[in-house]
mmCIF file of all heavy atoms in Angstrom:
data_model
loop_
_atom_site.group_PDB
_atom_site.id
_atom_site.type_symbol
_atom_site.label_atom_id
_atom_site.label_comp_id
_atom_site.label_asym_id
_atom_site.label_seq_id
_atom_site.Cartn_x
_atom_site.Cartn_y
_atom_site.Cartn_z
ATOM 1 N N LEU Q 635 48.911 -88.092 -116.743
ATOM 2 C CA LEU Q 635 50.087 -87.276 -116.434
ATOM 3 C C LEU Q 635 50.713 -86.717 -117.700
ATOM 4 O O LEU Q 635 51.251 -85.600 -117.722
ATOM 5 C CB LEU Q 635 51.113 -88.101 -115.651
ATOM 6 C CG LEU Q 635 50.771 -88.443 -114.197
ATOM 7 C CD1 LEU Q 635 51.846 -89.330 -113.601
ATOM 8 C CD2 LEU Q 635 50.597 -87.185 -113.367
ATOM 9 N N GLY Q 636 50.666 -87.488 -118.769
ATOM 10 C CA GLY Q 636 51.277 -87.038 -120.006
ATOM 11 C C GLY Q 636 50.510 -85.940 -120.699
ATOM 12 O O GLY Q 636 51.019 -85.307 -121.629
ATOM 13 N N MET Q 637 49.256 -85.697 -120.279
ATOM 14 C CA MET Q 637 48.446 -84.672 -120.918
ATOM 15 C C MET Q 637 48.885 -83.262 -120.557
ATOM 16 O O MET Q 637 48.652 -82.323 -121.332
ATOM 17 C CB MET Q 637 46.968 -84.858 -120.544
ATOM 18 C CG MET Q 637 46.333 -86.075 -121.157
ATOM 19 S SD MET Q 637 44.586 -86.179 -120.707
ATOM 20 C CE MET Q 637 44.148 -87.722 -121.482
ATOM 21 N N SER Q 638 49.492 -83.065 -119.371
ATOM 22 C CA SER Q 638 49.819 -81.695 -118.950
ATOM 23 C C SER Q 638 50.888 -81.744 -117.881
ATOM 24 O O SER Q 638 50.957 -82.676 -117.055
ATOM 25 C CB SER Q 638 48.567 -80.980 -118.422
ATOM 26 O OG SER Q 638 48.906 -79.724 -117.883
ATOM 27 N N SER Q 639 51.726 -80.701 -117.890
ATOM 28 C CA SER Q 639 52.743 -80.593 -116.830
ATOM 29 C C SER Q 639 52.134 -80.180 -115.501
ATOM 30 O O SER Q 639 52.787 -80.262 -114.458
ATOM 31 C CB SER Q 639 53.805 -79.556 -117.250
ATOM 32 O OG SER Q 639 53.211 -78.263 -117.384
ATOM 33 N N SER Q 640 50.882 -79.693 -115.505
ATOM 34 C CA SER Q 640 50.216 -79.287 -114.261
ATOM 35 C C SER Q 640 49.421 -80.434 -113.653
ATOM 36 O O SER Q 640 48.572 -80.212 -112.792
ATOM 37 C CB SER Q 640 49.300 -78.084 -114.514
ATOM 38 O OG SER Q 640 48.313 -78.411 -115.477
ATOM 39 N N HIS Q 641 49.681 -81.648 -114.125
ATOM 40 C CA HIS Q 641 49.059 -82.827 -113.523
ATOM 41 C C HIS Q 641 50.080 -83.525 -112.622
ATOM 42 O O HIS Q 641 51.255 -83.629 -112.977
ATOM 43 C CB HIS Q 641 48.563 -83.794 -114.600
ATOM 44 C CG HIS Q 641 47.354 -83.301 -115.325
ATOM 45 N ND1 HIS Q 641 46.700 -84.049 -116.276
ATOM 46 C CD2 HIS Q 641 46.672 -82.118 -115.259
ATOM 47 C CE1 HIS Q 641 45.688 -83.362 -116.759
ATOM 48 N NE2 HIS Q 641 45.661 -82.183 -116.157
ATOM 49 N N MET Q 642 49.616 -83.999 -111.495
ATOM 50 C CA MET Q 642 50.494 -84.701 -110.546
ATOM 51 C C MET Q 642 49.751 -85.919 -110.004
ATOM 52 O O MET Q 642 48.567 -85.839 -109.660
ATOM 53 C CB MET Q 642 50.879 -83.783 -109.380
ATOM 54 C CG MET Q 642 51.759 -84.458 -108.327
ATOM 55 S SD MET Q 642 52.219 -83.347 -106.968
ATOM 56 C CE MET Q 642 50.655 -83.151 -106.139
ATOM 57 N N ALA Q 643 50.445 -87.019 -109.975
ATOM 58 C CA ALA Q 643 49.848 -88.244 -109.442
ATOM 59 C C ALA Q 643 50.043 -88.297 -107.914
ATOM 60 O O ALA Q 643 51.121 -87.968 -107.402
ATOM 61 C CB ALA Q 643 50.477 -89.463 -110.101
ATOM 62 N N TRP Q 644 49.008 -88.713 -107.239
ATOM 63 C CA TRP Q 644 49.068 -88.902 -105.776
ATOM 64 C C TRP Q 644 48.869 -90.388 -105.510
ATOM 65 O O TRP Q 644 47.764 -90.914 -105.543
ATOM 66 C CB TRP Q 644 47.991 -88.057 -105.075
ATOM 67 C CG TRP Q 644 47.895 -88.291 -103.586
ATOM 68 C CD1 TRP Q 644 46.837 -88.785 -102.914
ATOM 69 C CD2 TRP Q 644 48.900 -88.037 -102.604
ATOM 70 N NE1 TRP Q 644 47.094 -88.858 -101.576
ATOM 71 C CE2 TRP Q 644 48.368 -88.393 -101.343
ATOM 72 C CE3 TRP Q 644 50.210 -87.527 -102.679
ATOM 73 C CZ2 TRP Q 644 49.085 -88.264 -100.170
ATOM 74 C CZ3 TRP Q 644 50.914 -87.402 -101.489
ATOM 75 C CH2 TRP Q 644 50.360 -87.764 -100.261
ATOM 76 N N ILE Q 645 50.006 -91.070 -105.317
ATOM 77 C CA ILE Q 645 50.015 -92.527 -105.222
ATOM 78 C C ILE Q 645 50.268 -92.926 -103.770
ATOM 79 O O ILE Q 645 51.288 -92.557 -103.182
ATOM 80 C CB ILE Q 645 51.094 -93.129 -106.145
ATOM 81 C CG1 ILE Q 645 50.802 -92.733 -107.599
ATOM 82 C CG2 ILE Q 645 51.154 -94.638 -105.986
ATOM 83 C CD1 ILE Q 645 51.912 -93.097 -108.561
ATOM 84 N N GLN Q 646 49.304 -93.653 -103.186
ATOM 85 C CA GLN Q 646 49.418 -94.122 -101.803
ATOM 86 C C GLN Q 646 49.835 -95.590 -101.836
ATOM 87 O O GLN Q 646 49.134 -96.445 -102.385
ATOM 88 C CB GLN Q 646 48.086 -93.953 -101.061
ATOM 89 C CG GLN Q 646 47.666 -92.498 -100.894
ATOM 90 C CD GLN Q 646 46.261 -92.358 -100.329
ATOM 91 O OE1 GLN Q 646 45.382 -91.859 -101.009
ATOM 92 N NE2 GLN Q 646 46.066 -92.802 -99.112
ATOM 93 N N TYR Q 647 51.006 -95.866 -101.239
ATOM 94 C CA TYR Q 647 51.565 -97.215 -101.255
ATOM 95 C C TYR Q 647 50.782 -98.151 -100.325
ATOM 96 O O TYR Q 647 50.124 -97.716 -99.364
ATOM 97 C CB TYR Q 647 53.025 -97.178 -100.821
ATOM 98 C CG TYR Q 647 53.969 -96.636 -101.876
ATOM 99 C CD1 TYR Q 647 54.735 -95.488 -101.630
ATOM 100 C CD2 TYR Q 647 54.105 -97.268 -103.110
ATOM 101 C CE1 TYR Q 647 55.612 -94.995 -102.574
ATOM 102 C CE2 TYR Q 647 54.979 -96.780 -104.074
ATOM 103 C CZ TYR Q 647 55.724 -95.636 -103.794
ATOM 104 O OH TYR Q 647 56.574 -95.160 -104.742
#
Side-chain angles (χ1 to χ4, degrees):
L635 288 177
M637 290 182 183
S638 174
S639 63
S640 60
H641 288 184
M642 178 179 70
W644 174 243
I645 300 171
Q646 295 172 245
Y647 285 119

